[in-house]
Amino acid sequence: MSESPVLLNKHEVERLLTYDDLIPRLESVMGKFSKRDSSEIIQPVRSVVPIQQHSGFLGVMPAYLTAEGILCTKMVAFYQRAEGSSLPSTQATVLLFHPEHGNVTAIMDGEAITAKRTAAVSAISAKLFKPALSEVLCILGSGQQARSHYDVFTKLFKFKEVRLWSRRKEMAQRFVNDLQDPVTVCSSVKEAVIGADVIVTATGASQPILFGEWVKPGAHIAAVGACRPDWRELDDVLMREAVVYVDSREGATAESGDIILSGAEVFAELGEVINGSFPAQHEKTTVFKSLGMGIQDAVSAKLVLEKWNSEY
Ligand SMILES: NC(=O)C1=CN([C@@H]2O[C@H](COP(=O)(O)OP(=O)(O)OC[C@H]3O[C@@H](n4cnc5c(N)ncnc54)[C@H](O)[C@@H]3O)[C@@H](O)[C@H]2O)C=CC1
Ligand SMILES: O=C([O-])C1=[NH+]CCC1
């Protein structure tokens, strides 16, 4: 009989998962994924059950990484929440399986994994695509993703100014009150993004909130929200004028309203830049459209389990 799975809660996962460990693993797995060698990595596009009544969805995200010996799936529910709700909008659980026997070896919180791995991947995009002189960071949204993006972007890069916009100004103010360093709270998206070198969009918007006419030429946008085919964060002008990178071409074509509805062309996957197949056009305006991938959860969960095993 197999041993009982390890159970790890959000607090444990948050403690064990560090950006320093995570970023190189994400770079490596995304570079590999983009080679499309199915003897190395199998990751179908996520299965999604839309939950129209609550503007949400349930997603299942399996992945198998043969060389790394990781068999994993995440289940994630995204529900639009009223601001200040006690439940998070993104809730998730990750299961790790024994790759040879198929038994479950670990069940862990997926909220911390989702927050950190998404922000870490956006930070990798910024490392590759942001303008050489990047002084102003702008974050749109003040939820979980906004916070993890703030943490990793300010850890990895030096900005002279950080700006934040949120739909309700008091939520932006609350976000800023928790921080050590100064952040400018802006009253409109336009005010927040004009002159910004790096822009993160991490909102639950379903209509465009960021317009190309406001974006500084050469800026980099890490677009994290709008993960349904009919949801948008970015307008057509921005999508058509920028060089568009994605995490997975199949995922973007199936799920990204910003790509599908604008008709924008995908230039490359982030992994194709990491593995040297395509260039990073950092002198141009760039959009990295993130949808999230099972392989990102898989390497994160494995890292958490390795760290936990090394402690016990
Ligand atoms: N690309 C990826 O891998 C992932 C993407 N996401 C997406 O990122 C987005 C943010 O997720 P969380 O931070 O977990 O959610 P959250 O609920 O914690 O934060 C959402 C933020 O968006 C704002 N917002 C909601 N509706 C809006 C609207 N119509 N216009 C402008 N702002 C609006 C809220 O005020 C809040 O500041 C969601 O769209 C979610 O689906 C979440 C996880 C992973
Ligand atoms: O990759 C992910 O976990 C998600 N993408 C959109 C919402 C959740």
Side-chain angles (χ1 to χ4, degrees), residues 46 57 61 74 76 78 90 114 117-118 224 227 291-293 296-297:
R46 108 182 105 216
F57 60 86
M61 305 173 67
K74 182 169 84 175
V76 57
F78 178 76
T90 308
T114 306
R117 63 72 152 149
T118 309
V224 170
C227 297
L291 276 315
M293 299 168 76
Q296 299 164 356
D297 301 309

Side-chain angles (χ1 to χ4, degrees), residues 69-95:
I70 312 179
L71 180 61
C72 179
T73 192
K74 182 169 84 175
M75 282 143 298
V76 57
F78 178 76
Y79 276 64
Q80 300 279 7
R81 304 267 183 223
E83 254 122 340
S85 159
S86 58
L87 278 176
S89 309
T90 308
Q91 300 175 94
T93 304
V94 178
L95 302 186

